[in-house]
């Protein structure tokens, strides 16, 4: 069998300790996530991770794998948005030599490469509908065939998937099959954005700088102004943005990392969430305050729209209409 990992997949090394999973001393929401992670790792059930881009969903998936009984076997991450096209089924299941033009050798697919381990489906709501049907069939039967082959192969993988979209909204929009979602959404996990994690930005910034200093034998430090800027910035790009900002400031600094090397903060008239409290600055427009309150309440209830609507005293339909409007405003801005 040719040893070629499919284009959309990659086998990754263990997640660096401390980035997200060493939750001791971090925010309560991350301590809660850490506890949920350990419970998920003790089972072989499918896990569905939701969270904004840059929050570290793959790191969470990798941590579940590394804490499970499958830890010694492969962890294969697949970008579901990159597996469409005429060869998608071959990428998923593998193919036999001569099964189509260009198939010069037998090749494994995602299931075969991840056999015995974990198959991580990143941005699963982007998976083409026809692939969802075939994927569901494999999950239900536990077997599959390579394209052009007749042998039944056993699908011995644990499925973990992730998306920055609301999976229920993706079903309503026709992006995700409901029966497919039901097979995936056994254990739901939510990775909170960095702005909801209290002082975690400061903890992570120090960890990123310490890692850089260790790797390069340096002793660079943060300036007091940069520490203040890190604390004040709301990090819309989440952990990824913070890591890149620290690395950029590290590269450009001689000894002390300067605040002017950080990205500019969002408008300081915005509402902020910290340690479970929502703060509104005086003078904030009422419609913006209402939007912030609705989104913060939804986040507090882990994205459960029904409970959030009841808490807010709104009908579920009204909440959906508000959220649709916010999404359109965001897309237009």
């Amino acid at each position: 069998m040719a040893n070629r990992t499919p284009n959309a997949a990659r086998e990754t090394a263990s997640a660096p300790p401390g980035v997200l999973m060493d939750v001791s001393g971090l925010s309560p929401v991350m301590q809660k996530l850490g506890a949920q992670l350990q419970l998920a790792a003790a089972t072989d059930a499918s896990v569905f991770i939701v969270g904004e881009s840059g929050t570290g969903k793959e790191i969470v998936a990798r941590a579940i794998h590394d804490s499970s009984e499958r830890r010694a076997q492969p962890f294969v991450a697949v970008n579901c948005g990159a597996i469409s096209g005429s060869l998608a089924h071959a990428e998923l299941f593998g193919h036999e030599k001569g099964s189509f033009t260009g198939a010069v050798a037998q090749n494994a697919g995602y299931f075969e490469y991840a056999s015995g381990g974990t198959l991580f489906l990143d941005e699963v709501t982007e998976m083409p509908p026809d692939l969802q049907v075939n994927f569901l069939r494999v999950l239900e039967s536990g077997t599959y065939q390579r394209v052009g082959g007749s042998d039944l192969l056993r699908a011995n993988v644990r499925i973990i998937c992730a998306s920055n979209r609301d999976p229920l909204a993706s079903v309503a929009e026709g992006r995700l099959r409901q029966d497919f979602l039901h097979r995936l959404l056994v254990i739901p996990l939510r990775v909170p954005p960095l702005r909801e994690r209290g002082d975690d930005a400061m903890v992570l910034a120090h960890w990123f700088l310490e890692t850089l200093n260790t790797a390069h034998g340096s002793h660079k430090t943060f300036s007091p102004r940069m520490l203040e800027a890190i604390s004040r910035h709301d990090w819309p790009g989440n952990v990824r943005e913070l890591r890149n900002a620290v690395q950029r400031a590290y590269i450009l600094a001689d000894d002390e990392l300067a605040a002017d090397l950080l990205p500019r903060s969002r408008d300081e008239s915005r509402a902020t969430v910290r340690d479970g409290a929502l703060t509104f600055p005086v003078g904030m427009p009422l419609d913006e305050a209402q939007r912030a309150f609705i989104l913060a309440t939804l986040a507090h209830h882990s994205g459960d729209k029904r409970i959030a609507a009841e808490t807010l005293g709104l009908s579920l339909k009204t909440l959906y209409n508000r959220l649709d409007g916010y999404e359109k405003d965001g897309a237009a801005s």
Side-chain angles (χ1 to χ4, degrees), residues 123-176:
E123 301 307 339
V124 67
T125 53
E126 307 305 313
M127 181 181 288
D130 60 328
L131 275 186
Q132 293 179 34
V133 174
N134 285 276
F135 209 109
L136 179 61
R137 188 176 298 121
V138 174
L139 294 180
E140 292 175 341
S141 68
T143 60
Y144 64 96
Q145 293 175 310
R146 298 191 193 103
V147 174
S150 58
D151 294 336
L152 281 178
L153 303 178
R154 182 168 176 260
N156 178 22
V157 297
R158 197 262 179 91
I159 301 295
I160 301 178
C161 56
S163 178
N164 58 14
R165 297 178 181 271
D166 180 342
L168 296 178
S170 295
V171 170
E173 295 166 359
R175 291 177 174 271
L176 198 64

Side-chain angles (χ1 to χ4, degrees), residues 17-174:
V19 177
L20 281 175
M21 292 305 102
D22 184 9
V23 296
S24 58
L26 296 182
S27 60
V29 290
M30 290 305 291
Q31 292 179 12
K32 179 181 178 181
L33 177 61
Q36 293 172 332
L37 184 154
Q38 294 302 321
L39 291 174
T43 77
D44 216 24
S46 298
V47 178
F48 201 120
I49 304 168
V50 296
E52 295 178 8
S53 295
T55 51
K57 296 185 290 297
E58 183 172 338
I59 294 176
V60 172
R62 181 74 216 213
I64 293 172
H65 172 80
D66 287 345
S67 300
S68 73
E69 294 184 355
R70 294 178 178 265
R71 67 178 69 88
Q73 302 304 318
F75 176 90
V76 176
V78 178
N79 178 357
C80 291
I83 59 175
S84 60
S86 60
L87 299 181
H89 289 78
E91 297 260 318
L92 186 62
F93 303 116
H95 62 77
E96 299 290 351
K97 179 179 178 180
S99 56
F100 52 84
T101 302
V104 297
Q106 183 191 80
N107 198 69
Y110 308 139
F111 277 102
E112 208 163 341
Y113 274 101
S115 183
T118 299
L119 184 59
F120 174 57
L121 306 175
D122 194 16
E123 301 307 339
V124 67
T125 53
E126 307 305 313
M127 181 181 288
D130 60 328
L131 275 186
Q132 293 179 34
V133 174
N134 285 276
F135 209 109
L136 179 61
R137 188 176 298 121
V138 174
L139 294 180
E140 292 175 341
S141 68
T143 60
Y144 64 96
Q145 293 175 310
R146 298 191 193 103
V147 174
S150 58
D151 294 336
L152 281 178
L153 303 178
R154 182 168 176 260
N156 178 22
V157 297
R158 197 262 179 91
I159 301 295
I160 301 178
C161 56
S163 178
N164 58 14
R165 297 178 181 271
D166 180 342
L168 296 178
S170 295
V171 170
E173 295 166 359

Side-chain angles (χ1 to χ4, degrees), residues 264-323:
R264 291 185 177 274
S265 185
R266 287 183 175 182
D267 186 352
E268 294 184 359
S269 67
R270 291 173 56 90
T272 57
V273 179
R274 187 173 293 272
D275 295 330
L278 182 64
T279 301
F280 296 96
V282 175
M284 184 176 189
L286 182 59
D287 59 340
E288 292 183 18
Q290 187 179 63
R291 171 181 175 146
F293 186 66
I294 289 174
L295 294 178
T297 302
L298 183 62
H300 178 74
H301 291 297
S302 302
D304 191 316
K305 294 183 176 62
R306 188 173 301 278
I307 297 177
E310 292 175 356
T311 302
L312 293 164
L314 300 174
S315 69
L316 188 58
K317 181 179 179 180
T318 298
L319 178 59
Y320 268 105
N321 290 339
R322 296 282 179 87
L323 295 176

